[in-house]
Amino acid sequence: MGGCSVFKCSSSSTKGQSVFRLPKSPSTRAEWLKFLQMSGRKICNDVEYCVCELHFRPDQIKFTKKSNKLNLGSVPSILVEELTPDVRGK
């Protein structure tokens, strides 16, 4: 799927993190875009953005052996600056 769209985040599915596309729900999608802007990302309407699992609280993700899924209505809330150095380097 590619890399995380959060500004200064270098995580990607190729580095082992789950990456989630923006939700279709207009209200939840708007909250995700607001978070991306808060992180420093400039938003363009013609770009498909993704956010990696590191920006969600663990209780927002259903972890399974095959693939991880977000709980309905989950919104990213953890900025790169809030991640511990060992997680930030992944």
Side-chain angles (χ1 to χ4, degrees), residues 21-86:
R21 289 193 173 118
L22 267 66
K24 293 181 180 173
S25 162
S27 60
T28 308
R29 187 179 185 93
E31 290 184 63
W32 280 45
L33 290 171
K34 184 176 169 183
F35 174 78
L36 287 171
Q37 286 176 317
M38 190 172 64
S39 79
R41 172 71 53 205
K42 292 185 180 182
I43 303 298
C44 300
N45 290 333
D46 60 343
V47 175
E48 183 60 42
Y49 297 100
C50 299
V51 177
C52 77
E53 66 182 88
L54 300 178
H55 304 287
F56 294 91
R57 294 185 325 270
D59 66 327
Q60 294 178 305
I61 304 171
K62 292 178 190 170
F63 294 97
T64 66
K65 289 182 181 180
K66 288 187 178 183
S67 66
N68 298 330
K69 300 198 184 290
L70 284 178
N71 294 325
L72 190 64
S74 294
V75 176
S77 60
I78 302 170
L79 296 169
V80 171
E81 294 81 13
E82 297 173 89
L83 298 171
T84 59
D86 60 317

